Each structure stands twice: as C-alpha cells, then as structure tokens.
Amino acid sequence: MKLKIIIILAVFITIGTVLVVHKNTSSESDYQDMLILFTDQNLTVSYFFHHKNTDDLVNIKKAADFPTAVLSNNKNELYYTDFDSNSDTQLFKKDLKTSNISQLTKNLKSVDTLKLDEENQKMYMKVLLKGDKNFHIATLDLKTKKMVVWNEGNKDRSVKFFDFNKRTGLVYAVIYSEKELYHNLVEFNNNHTTFKSPLHRFVMFDDKGRQLKEIGQINVQVQDISVSTSGEKVLFTSVSNPNEDSNYVINEMRTDDGTYFSIFESAQNKLSNLQQAQYLQEGRKIYFLAAANDAKVLKDESGTTAKLRSIYQYNLIDQKLTMKWSKNNGIINGFLLFNK
C-alpha cells in the first residue's frame, strides 16, 4: 500500500497531422534569450544564459533538490534554490559580477517556482512550511528580506504551479485539495482502480494574495501554467495519467470565462512528457520541454534513468515545430524565456 502511494505521489509532482521537427536554423532576429538549467550524468547542475545562440555558464554546483532559478532583469543576479545546512531547500542569490553568494530565506522546508517582479524588488515563490503537507505562494521583499506567506493558515489548499504577470501584477495559480488527493490515493490503493486526479482549479490573485476570481477547473493532472502578456490567456499542459506512453496536451484557456481548447498533443507529434509550456509571442509561438519518442535513455551515477529532453518551439500560425536547444549527457530540468 505504501509503495503504491509513494509511486503515485512521485508522478503527481487539435493537430490532425504529424509534424516534421526542424533543427534550429534561426537567423539572428529569431534568437531567443533563455535561462536553462541542465543536470549532467554526474549530477552537476549548470545554469546557462542562452543569448544570441551562445551559452554563458553563470553558475555550476552539485545537484541537491530539484533546481529552479531566475535571472534578474539586468542579468547581474542569479536567484536559485539549494540545500541549506539542514538539507532543507532555501533561496540563494549569486552576484554574477563578484560571485558572492548569499542565503535569502531560512526556516522553510522547500522553495521552488521562482518569479521576479519587474523592478527586481519582490520575489514570488512556492514554499513548503515545516510541518505542512500543502504548498503556499510566498513573497520576499529583496530589500527588507520580509517574507509574507499567502493563506498560511489554510492546511488543505495546495499550490501546484503558478505564474506572475509582470505587466498587471497578477498571479495565476493551479491549486488542489490535499484531502482530496489523499482520499483518491487511498481509493486507488484499496480498489486497485486507475488513479483519479484531484480537481485542479485555476485561480487569479492580486499581488497581496487576495483571491480575485476562480477562472476554471479541470479533472486531470496539470503540469504547468504560463500567463500571456495581456493576461487574457493562460497555457497549461494536462495529462490523464502521467507516464512515458501518455498523451500530453498543451491547452490554452481564456481568463475571462475559463473556456479552453487544445493546441498541441504529444501523441500526434512523436513526443512525450511535455512540460513547462511558455508563451513567446502571444498568439504566435510557444516554447516547451519534451522528449522525442526515440530519444536516448540516460542513466546517472545513482542509477536513475530518463530520456534526453529538448526545448522546442511551436509556431501556432504555420504549425511548424522546431527543436531550439538540446544537450547530450544530461537532462534539462527547466528553462525560462526572456520575452521580447
């Protein structure tokens, strides 16, 4: 029983033709700046600032928890997560001019999903408080170091993913109930049925954590969320039962009424494990992380296996799929676009 629950918890963390994947042959005007996090087979994490088709190594360290990071708007500071002396995950800052590293949070159990405001004054984070099972959104004032945890007293509602719109100052989050998740896990184990995902709700908050509206709901697992520049649409990747053979679907949802439709499916494009869909040019292009069905299977020094993943661009106008970035002998953990 315990083994099945552990496996499910680990997993929990309309195109009619098959597309031809083009290799990246971008002109200089088509270059896209990205922050890319890459873990090699020796469990070393490299942080690349991809700029004009070159990769600048801005940080390197041994792997700890699942790495997340964000660059300041002026590209002078790297904010990233790492273990502290108690093996809890905290937020750190590296000054890229002096290489000085400072720890910005303490007494948290975990930190991930970092979003920085336009003025580089406030960090938005997904945090796990010690003793809790559910995740919250928290903000950290980077000058005063004051942290505010949103809805800290709520021990059931858990934030799975969120995104921050720098232009409007609004936060868009995917949330679910920990009680419902536990109930579904017990039901799955006792009745040997297909695991049923808890209801995922799409919620909009202001910059103080006040809920403004519930945008929509979905009864399958959600892998990510990305808000458009205008705030009128969000991208999210959904999957009924995550595994290598599952069909991952990138969807677009209207934020005014919660209606959504699929814009890309992995099964029809010889890809698997779609994640981290992000807008590049609203209404024209999206980027996402995926593994080709025939991708090389890698094994790290701990014996864990995974398929090599690449960053893809999909043009919503001409339906052209292009592989934009890939690297052998390791796994891309995540990437972040710097929108033009």
Side-chain angles (χ1 to χ4, degrees):
M1 174 176 178
K2 289 183 178 179
L3 178 59
K4 287 186 177 180
I5 289 178
I6 290 171
I7 292 173
I8 290 294
L9 280 172
V11 171
F12 192 74
I13 341 198
T14 37
I15 305 297
T17 57
V18 175
L19 301 180
V20 175
V21 180
H22 299 264
K23 291 185 178 180
N24 185 16
T25 56
S26 303
S27 63
E28 185 170 349
S29 62
D30 193 41
Y31 289 140
Q32 174 56 42
D33 292 353
M34 295 184 283
L35 175 65
I36 302 170
L37 280 62
F38 179 84
T39 301
D40 66 24
Q41 290 175 268
N42 296 319
L43 299 181
T44 299
V45 183
S46 298
Y47 301 73
F48 295 108
F49 175 43
H50 180 76
H51 175 67
K52 291 187 177 181
N53 217 27
T54 62
D55 295 323
D56 296 332
L57 182 64
V58 297
N59 194 35
I60 188 169
K61 69 178 188 65
K62 290 297 293 181
D65 203 352
F66 186 84
T68 57
V70 64
L71 270 173
S72 62
N73 293 329
N74 59 14
K75 315 298 187 299
N76 289 333
E77 294 90 27
L78 175 74
Y79 297 88
Y80 66 97
T81 57
D82 200 357
F83 281 156
D84 63 11
S85 58
N86 297 316
S87 296
D88 294 325
T89 306
Q90 307 295 342
L91 176 66
F92 293 80
K93 181 182 78 169
K94 179 179 181 179
D95 187 313
L96 299 182
K97 291 184 175 181
T98 66
S99 295
N100 182 57
I101 295 174
S102 54
Q103 182 176 333
L104 302 183
T105 63
K106 58 182 181 180
N107 299 324
L108 294 171
K109 188 62 181 177
S110 179
V111 180
D112 66 31
T113 314
L114 306 177
K115 304 291 179 179
L116 190 60
D117 74 351
E118 189 69 31
E119 292 76 28
N120 292 342
Q121 294 181 351
K122 184 186 291 187
M123 182 69 72
Y124 293 77
M125 313 171 289
K126 189 179 82 172
V127 303
L128 179 65
L129 304 177
K130 290 187 177 181
D132 282 1
K133 296 181 179 179
N134 61 318
F135 287 84
H136 300 267
I137 295 173
T139 59
L140 179 69
D141 187 309
L142 296 175
K143 290 185 176 180
T144 67
K145 303 301 185 292
K146 180 181 179 181
M147 186 172 69
V148 177
V149 181
W150 295 1
N151 303 302
E152 185 173 356
N154 190 317
K155 303 301 180 182
D156 178 48
R157 187 171 74 174
S158 192
V159 176
K160 195 168 186 183
F161 302 100
F162 79 92
D163 197 14
F164 173 69
N165 188 310
K166 291 185 178 182
R167 194 176 82 172
T168 64
L170 300 179
V171 172
Y172 299 78
V174 179
I175 63 174
Y176 66 92
S177 164
E178 285 287 342
K179 292 179 182 178
E180 184 183 359
L181 172 61
Y182 180 78
H183 171 80
N184 292 356
L185 287 169
V186 173
E187 187 176 73
F188 161 80
N189 186 78
N190 291 340
N191 300 329
H192 304 286
T193 58
T194 301
F195 173 70
K196 179 182 177 182
S197 172
L199 181 68
H200 287 71
R201 303 175 186 272
F202 294 79
V203 179
M204 182 170 66
F205 298 93
D206 67 13
D207 61 354
K208 299 295 191 299
R210 293 183 289 258
Q211 181 173 323
L212 302 179
K213 65 180 292 188
E214 181 173 310
I215 299 168
Q217 302 177 355
I218 190 170
N219 274 309
V220 296
Q221 294 201 41
V222 177
Q223 302 290 100
D224 47 55
I225 185 172
S226 174
V227 62
S228 64
T229 303
S230 68
E232 296 176 354
K233 298 175 291 185
V234 294
L235 285 178
F236 68 95
T237 309
S238 62
V239 60
S240 296
N241 186 25
N243 60 63
E244 187 174 312
D245 299 322
S246 296
N247 184 32
Y248 290 76
V249 182
I250 298 177
N251 308 272
E252 190 170 64
M253 176 183 285
R254 292 175 56 92
T255 57
D256 57 352
D257 60 11
T259 58
Y260 65 92
F261 58 93
S262 65
I263 59 176
F264 189 90
E265 297 190 18
S266 64
Q268 296 179 1
N269 295 284
K270 298 182 180 180
L271 298 174
S272 63
N273 197 18
L274 269 62
Q275 293 181 8
Q276 302 181 34
Q278 301 173 41
Y279 284 104
L280 174 58
Q281 296 165 326
E282 188 171 339
R284 293 183 58 194
K285 297 177 182 179
I286 61 173
Y287 274 55
F288 59 86
L289 191 60
N293 288 349
D294 59 355
K296 180 181 178 181
V297 177
L298 305 173
K299 180 184 290 187
D300 64 26
E301 62 183 26
S302 70
T304 302
T305 60
K307 277 189 174 182
L308 186 148
R309 299 192 293 184
S310 302
I311 298 172
Y312 291 88
Q313 175 190 275
Y314 178 61
N315 190 311
L316 298 171
I317 307 301
D318 61 17
Q319 299 180 2
K320 179 181 178 182
L321 181 65
T322 307
M323 192 274 287
K324 302 295 288 187
W325 198 91
S326 190
K327 187 174 176 63
N328 292 325
N329 303 317
I331 294 294
I332 302 171
N333 302 110
F335 72 101
L336 182 64
L337 297 178
F338 294 93
N339 283 317
K340 298 176 181 178

